Structure formats: C-alpha cells, structure tokens
Amino acid sequence: GEDVEQSLFLSVREGDSSVINCTYTDSSSTYLYWYKQEPGAGLQLLTYIFSNMDMKQDQRLTVLLNKKDKHLSLRIADTQTGDSAIYFCAETLRDGQNFVFGPGTRLSVLP
Amino acid sequence: NAGVTQTPKFQVLKTGQSMTLQCAQDMNHNSMYWYRQDPGMGLRLIYYSASEGTTDKGEVPNGYNVSRLNKREFSLRLESAAPSQTSVYFCASSEVETQYFGPGTRLLVL
C-alpha cells in the first residue's frame, strides 16, 4: 500500500541549515507537500511541489524532488528557533482526493 | 474568512459515551476530511467527503460515523467512545491541490 516515511527527529544549531528527508511509494502522486505543526496547533501548509518539477524555492525553503528514487527533501536555510516544530511530508494519491502523511519529523533548533 | 473551524477544542469522555465533533469551512471547498493524529504515527484518515452528500471510509473508520450536512459542515460522531479513540482529531478541507486544516480537537476517553 501507499506509505510515506520520514526520520522522526532532527536537531540543528541556530543559523545552520536543516534538511528533512522523506520517501514515498506512489509513483503517480501528482503533488507532494510539506506541512509544519507547532505545539498545540493544526497543520500549516508550508510549500508543495508538482511532480514534474525537480526543485522549488520559496525564501528560506528549498524543496528537492527525485522522482526516480521517490525522495523528497525540505531544506531550511538559516534555521531559527521559531522553526522548531514537527514537519510532515505528504503526497496525494492518484485519485487526487486522498492525502497520505508521513509520521512527521520533530525539528529541534538549539541555541 | 475563518478558514476551517472545529468545536470543541477539548473534550473528556467516559468509555461508552457518545459525542459529535463539529467542523465547518468557509472557503467553498468541495472536499472535507477527518483525521486522527497519534504520537509517531502521523495523520490517519478516518473519513472523507468528496462533495456534499457523499462520504467514504478512510484508513481507520471503525468506531466512527460522519455526516456531510451541507457544503460547509462535516461532523464526526463517536457512538460509544473507547480509550483507543483518545487522540487529536483534525478536520481539513481542500481545493484541487492544497489542504487546509482546522486547529484540532483533543479528545481523552477514560
């Protein structure tokens, strides 16, 4: 079945770059997403990439997509303490209605 | 424009009690979803509704029922709550390529 995998934890120092990785299984996914969840809050869409793109940049965020390896990454440049949160990778299935989420990566930013 | 709203924010139930979680969106989206979030497991889809009048089971529908009352509202009902249903419940609505989430309902079943 469809599955999205992520490592559960990542720690970085303030000012360094963070790279959060994700692998997915549905090769027909149309869109792939990164969501951010702060403590006690819902999920906030950070960015998404269409499956025919390799890269998307939005200010401090860079998304890289390797379709051959079904690998998605999110790079956060100049990581700040406010970036501490759980980051979820997600894909849409071929029906376009269902979203499958990874378990989330908890990013801790150390001073 | 409030986006997706959910009520209540918190609820404590005893085993066997029933309750309905409410969700509403003001973005005129056709699709709406109910997820549960448990530690280390990400979000799991309980039910979704592709349009008003239709509902479909997701990954973990057992113990739940839903109603798509109209285009705006999508409710989730627990008929007989069990401790295994202790979780955080999120409602979402979507356009073609993006989902928007509500703030969540934290449910504790004793």
Side-chain angles (χ1 to χ4, degrees), chain B residues 68-85:
Chain B
R68 184 73 183 267
L69 304 168
N70 47 56
K71 194 170 186 179
R72 289 189 65 248
E73 297 171 294
F74 188 38
S75 63
L76 178 72
R77 182 157 178 85
L78 287 71
E79 289 291 351
S80 179
S84 61
Q85 293 178 304

PDB file of all heavy atoms in Angstrom, chain B residues 68-85:
ATOM      1  N   ARG B  68     -22.102  14.694   6.189  1.00  0.00           N
ATOM      2  CA  ARG B  68     -21.819  15.924   5.435  1.00  0.00           C
ATOM      3  C   ARG B  68     -23.136  16.667   5.352  1.00  0.00           C
ATOM      4  O   ARG B  68     -23.949  16.464   4.457  1.00  0.00           O
ATOM      5  CB  ARG B  68     -21.269  15.585   4.046  1.00  0.00           C
ATOM      6  CG  ARG B  68     -20.864  16.815   3.255  1.00  0.00           C
ATOM      7  CD  ARG B  68     -19.603  17.425   3.765  1.00  0.00           C
ATOM      8  NE  ARG B  68     -19.229  18.632   3.065  1.00  0.00           N
ATOM      9  CZ  ARG B  68     -18.419  18.692   2.016  1.00  0.00           C
ATOM     10  NH1 ARG B  68     -17.913  17.570   1.514  1.00  0.00           N
ATOM     11  NH2 ARG B  68     -18.134  19.840   1.470  1.00  0.00           N
ATOM     12  N   LEU B  69     -23.320  17.549   6.316  1.00  0.00           N
ATOM     13  CA  LEU B  69     -24.616  18.200   6.490  1.00  0.00           C
ATOM     14  C   LEU B  69     -24.938  19.127   5.324  1.00  0.00           C
ATOM     15  O   LEU B  69     -26.088  19.252   4.913  1.00  0.00           O
ATOM     16  CB  LEU B  69     -24.595  18.980   7.810  1.00  0.00           C
ATOM     17  CG  LEU B  69     -24.239  18.123   9.049  1.00  0.00           C
ATOM     18  CD1 LEU B  69     -23.963  19.000  10.252  1.00  0.00           C
ATOM     19  CD2 LEU B  69     -25.358  17.135   9.339  1.00  0.00           C
ATOM     20  N   ASN B  70     -23.949  19.804   4.835  1.00  0.00           N
ATOM     21  CA  ASN B  70     -24.070  20.706   3.694  1.00  0.00           C
ATOM     22  C   ASN B  70     -22.654  20.950   3.201  1.00  0.00           C
ATOM     23  O   ASN B  70     -21.716  20.302   3.671  1.00  0.00           O
ATOM     24  CB  ASN B  70     -24.766  22.014   4.112  1.00  0.00           C
ATOM     25  CG  ASN B  70     -24.192  22.579   5.387  1.00  0.00           C
ATOM     26  OD1 ASN B  70     -22.979  22.812   5.469  1.00  0.00           O
ATOM     27  ND2 ASN B  70     -25.029  22.782   6.397  1.00  0.00           N
ATOM     28  N   LYS B  71     -22.481  21.861   2.285  1.00  0.00           N
ATOM     29  CA  LYS B  71     -21.139  22.039   1.736  1.00  0.00           C
ATOM     30  C   LYS B  71     -20.167  22.535   2.803  1.00  0.00           C
ATOM     31  O   LYS B  71     -18.981  22.241   2.759  1.00  0.00           O
ATOM     32  CB  LYS B  71     -21.186  23.026   0.570  1.00  0.00           C
ATOM     33  CG  LYS B  71     -19.926  23.016  -0.270  1.00  0.00           C
ATOM     34  CD  LYS B  71     -20.093  23.815  -1.545  1.00  0.00           C
ATOM     35  CE  LYS B  71     -18.848  23.654  -2.407  1.00  0.00           C
ATOM     36  NZ  LYS B  71     -18.961  24.398  -3.680  1.00  0.00           N
ATOM     37  N   ARG B  72     -20.651  23.284   3.766  1.00  0.00           N
ATOM     38  CA  ARG B  72     -19.780  23.896   4.767  1.00  0.00           C
ATOM     39  C   ARG B  72     -19.396  22.955   5.897  1.00  0.00           C
ATOM     40  O   ARG B  72     -18.310  23.074   6.464  1.00  0.00           O
ATOM     41  CB  ARG B  72     -20.466  25.118   5.404  1.00  0.00           C
ATOM     42  CG  ARG B  72     -20.609  26.333   4.547  1.00  0.00           C
ATOM     43  CD  ARG B  72     -21.107  27.512   5.379  1.00  0.00           C
ATOM     44  NE  ARG B  72     -20.149  27.931   6.387  1.00  0.00           N
ATOM     45  CZ  ARG B  72     -20.313  27.803   7.695  1.00  0.00           C
ATOM     46  NH1 ARG B  72     -21.397  27.239   8.195  1.00  0.00           N
ATOM     47  NH2 ARG B  72     -19.396  28.224   8.544  1.00  0.00           N
ATOM     48  N   GLU B  73     -20.291  22.041   6.272  1.00  0.00           N
ATOM     49  CA  GLU B  73     -20.135  21.334   7.537  1.00  0.00           C
ATOM     50  C   GLU B  73     -19.958  19.830   7.364  1.00  0.00           C
ATOM     51  O   GLU B  73     -20.650  19.188   6.555  1.00  0.00           O
ATOM     52  CB  GLU B  73     -21.365  21.595   8.419  1.00  0.00           C
ATOM     53  CG  GLU B  73     -21.536  23.054   8.788  1.00  0.00           C
ATOM     54  CD  GLU B  73     -22.870  23.312   9.475  1.00  0.00           C
ATOM     55  OE1 GLU B  73     -23.919  23.157   8.822  1.00  0.00           O
ATOM     56  OE2 GLU B  73     -22.841  23.633  10.674  1.00  0.00           O
ATOM     57  N   PHE B  74     -19.048  19.287   8.177  1.00  0.00           N
ATOM     58  CA  PHE B  74     -18.736  17.860   8.120  1.00  0.00           C
ATOM     59  C   PHE B  74     -18.493  17.415   9.558  1.00  0.00           C
ATOM     60  O   PHE B  74     -17.519  17.828  10.173  1.00  0.00           O
ATOM     61  CB  PHE B  74     -17.496  17.656   7.251  1.00  0.00           C
ATOM     62  CG  PHE B  74     -17.159  16.229   6.935  1.00  0.00           C
ATOM     63  CD1 PHE B  74     -18.135  15.285   6.676  1.00  0.00           C
ATOM     64  CD2 PHE B  74     -15.824  15.832   6.838  1.00  0.00           C
ATOM     65  CE1 PHE B  74     -17.811  13.977   6.351  1.00  0.00           C
ATOM     66  CE2 PHE B  74     -15.480  14.530   6.507  1.00  0.00           C
ATOM     67  CZ  PHE B  74     -16.474  13.597   6.260  1.00  0.00           C
ATOM     68  N   SER B  75     -19.381  16.593  10.105  1.00  0.00           N
ATOM     69  CA  SER B  75     -19.278  16.225  11.515  1.00  0.00           C
ATOM     70  C   SER B  75     -18.819  14.783  11.665  1.00  0.00           C
ATOM     71  O   SER B  75     -19.056  13.938  10.789  1.00  0.00           O
ATOM     72  CB  SER B  75     -20.616  16.433  12.225  1.00  0.00           C
ATOM     73  OG  SER B  75     -21.606  15.594  11.664  1.00  0.00           O
ATOM     74  N   LEU B  76     -18.166  14.513  12.779  1.00  0.00           N
ATOM     75  CA  LEU B  76     -17.658  13.176  13.112  1.00  0.00           C
ATOM     76  C   LEU B  76     -18.293  12.731  14.413  1.00  0.00           C
ATOM     77  O   LEU B  76     -18.232  13.453  15.400  1.00  0.00           O
ATOM     78  CB  LEU B  76     -16.130  13.227  13.276  1.00  0.00           C
ATOM     79  CG  LEU B  76     -15.438  11.931  13.670  1.00  0.00           C
ATOM     80  CD1 LEU B  76     -15.429  10.954  12.494  1.00  0.00           C
ATOM     81  CD2 LEU B  76     -14.004  12.211  14.118  1.00  0.00           C
ATOM     82  N   ARG B  77     -18.892  11.550  14.413  1.00  0.00           N
ATOM     83  CA  ARG B  77     -19.595  11.075  15.607  1.00  0.00           C
ATOM     84  C   ARG B  77     -18.941   9.811  16.142  1.00  0.00           C
ATOM     85  O   ARG B  77     -18.643   8.876  15.370  1.00  0.00           O
ATOM     86  CB  ARG B  77     -21.064  10.814  15.300  1.00  0.00           C
ATOM     87  CG  ARG B  77     -21.854  10.361  16.528  1.00  0.00           C
ATOM     88  CD  ARG B  77     -23.323  10.619  16.412  1.00  0.00           C
ATOM     89  NE  ARG B  77     -24.037  10.133  17.595  1.00  0.00           N
ATOM     90  CZ  ARG B  77     -24.188  10.842  18.713  1.00  0.00           C
ATOM     91  NH1 ARG B  77     -23.695  12.062  18.821  1.00  0.00           N
ATOM     92  NH2 ARG B  77     -24.863  10.337  19.739  1.00  0.00           N
ATOM     93  N   LEU B  78     -18.760   9.789  17.456  1.00  0.00           N
ATOM     94  CA  LEU B  78     -18.342   8.597  18.171  1.00  0.00           C
ATOM     95  C   LEU B  78     -19.571   8.091  18.924  1.00  0.00           C
ATOM     96  O   LEU B  78     -20.076   8.767  19.822  1.00  0.00           O
ATOM     97  CB  LEU B  78     -17.219   8.910  19.165  1.00  0.00           C
ATOM     98  CG  LEU B  78     -15.829   9.187  18.626  1.00  0.00           C
ATOM     99  CD1 LEU B  78     -15.744  10.537  17.922  1.00  0.00           C
ATOM    100  CD2 LEU B  78     -14.806   9.127  19.741  1.00  0.00           C
ATOM    101  N   GLU B  79     -20.089   6.958  18.533  1.00  0.00           N
ATOM    102  CA  GLU B  79     -21.328   6.455  19.138  1.00  0.00           C
ATOM    103  C   GLU B  79     -21.090   5.891  20.530  1.00  0.00           C
ATOM    104  O   GLU B  79     -21.900   6.045  21.426  1.00  0.00           O
ATOM    105  CB  GLU B  79     -21.951   5.376  18.253  1.00  0.00           C
ATOM    106  CG  GLU B  79     -22.550   5.897  16.965  1.00  0.00           C
ATOM    107  CD  GLU B  79     -23.805   6.751  17.187  1.00  0.00           C
ATOM    108  OE1 GLU B  79     -24.323   6.802  18.331  1.00  0.00           O
ATOM    109  OE2 GLU B  79     -24.265   7.370  16.203  1.00  0.00           O
ATOM    110  N   SER B  80     -19.975   5.204  20.719  1.00  0.00           N
ATOM    111  CA  SER B  80     -19.656   4.585  22.002  1.00  0.00           C
ATOM    112  C   SER B  80     -18.143   4.671  22.179  1.00  0.00           C
ATOM    113  O   SER B  80     -17.408   3.803  21.716  1.00  0.00           O
ATOM    114  CB  SER B  80     -20.126   3.136  22.024  1.00  0.00           C
ATOM    115  OG  SER B  80     -19.807   2.516  23.258  1.00  0.00           O
ATOM    116  N   ALA B  81     -17.719   5.747  22.829  1.00  0.00           N
ATOM    117  CA  ALA B  81     -16.285   6.039  22.879  1.00  0.00           C
ATOM    118  C   ALA B  81     -15.501   4.954  23.618  1.00  0.00           C
ATOM    119  O   ALA B  81     -15.967   4.382  24.613  1.00  0.00           O
ATOM    120  CB  ALA B  81     -16.056   7.394  23.548  1.00  0.00           C
ATOM    121  N   ALA B  82     -14.287   4.711  23.117  1.00  0.00           N
ATOM    122  CA  ALA B  82     -13.369   3.742  23.717  1.00  0.00           C
ATOM    123  C   ALA B  82     -12.035   4.432  24.002  1.00  0.00           C
ATOM    124  O   ALA B  82     -11.686   5.399  23.302  1.00  0.00           O
ATOM    125  CB  ALA B  82     -13.154   2.564  22.778  1.00  0.00           C
ATOM    126  N   PRO B  83     -11.283   3.958  25.001  1.00  0.00           N
ATOM    127  CA  PRO B  83      -9.981   4.580  25.290  1.00  0.00           C
ATOM    128  C   PRO B  83      -9.058   4.639  24.078  1.00  0.00           C
ATOM    129  O   PRO B  83      -8.244   5.566  23.972  1.00  0.00           O
ATOM    130  CB  PRO B  83      -9.420   3.686  26.400  1.00  0.00           C
ATOM    131  CG  PRO B  83     -10.625   3.161  27.101  1.00  0.00           C
ATOM    132  CD  PRO B  83     -11.644   2.934  26.006  1.00  0.00           C
ATOM    133  N   SER B  84      -9.184   3.686  23.162  1.00  0.00           N
ATOM    134  CA  SER B  84      -8.338   3.690  21.956  1.00  0.00           C
ATOM    135  C   SER B  84      -8.641   4.869  21.041  1.00  0.00           C
ATOM    136  O   SER B  84      -7.882   5.156  20.106  1.00  0.00           O
ATOM    137  CB  SER B  84      -8.520   2.391  21.173  1.00  0.00           C
ATOM    138  OG  SER B  84      -9.874   2.259  20.757  1.00  0.00           O
ATOM    139  N   GLN B  85      -9.733   5.564  21.294  1.00  0.00           N
ATOM    140  CA  GLN B  85     -10.085   6.738  20.492  1.00  0.00           C
ATOM    141  C   GLN B  85      -9.548   8.039  21.098  1.00  0.00           C
ATOM    142  O   GLN B  85      -9.800   9.123  20.558  1.00  0.00           O
ATOM    143  CB  GLN B  85     -11.600   6.818  20.306  1.00  0.00           C
ATOM    144  CG  GLN B  85     -12.130   5.668  19.454  1.00  0.00           C
ATOM    145  CD  GLN B  85     -13.626   5.687  19.287  1.00  0.00           C
ATOM    146  OE1 GLN B  85     -14.374   5.694  20.285  1.00  0.00           O
ATOM    147  NE2 GLN B  85     -14.092   5.668  18.051  1.00  0.00           N
TER     148      GLN B  85
END
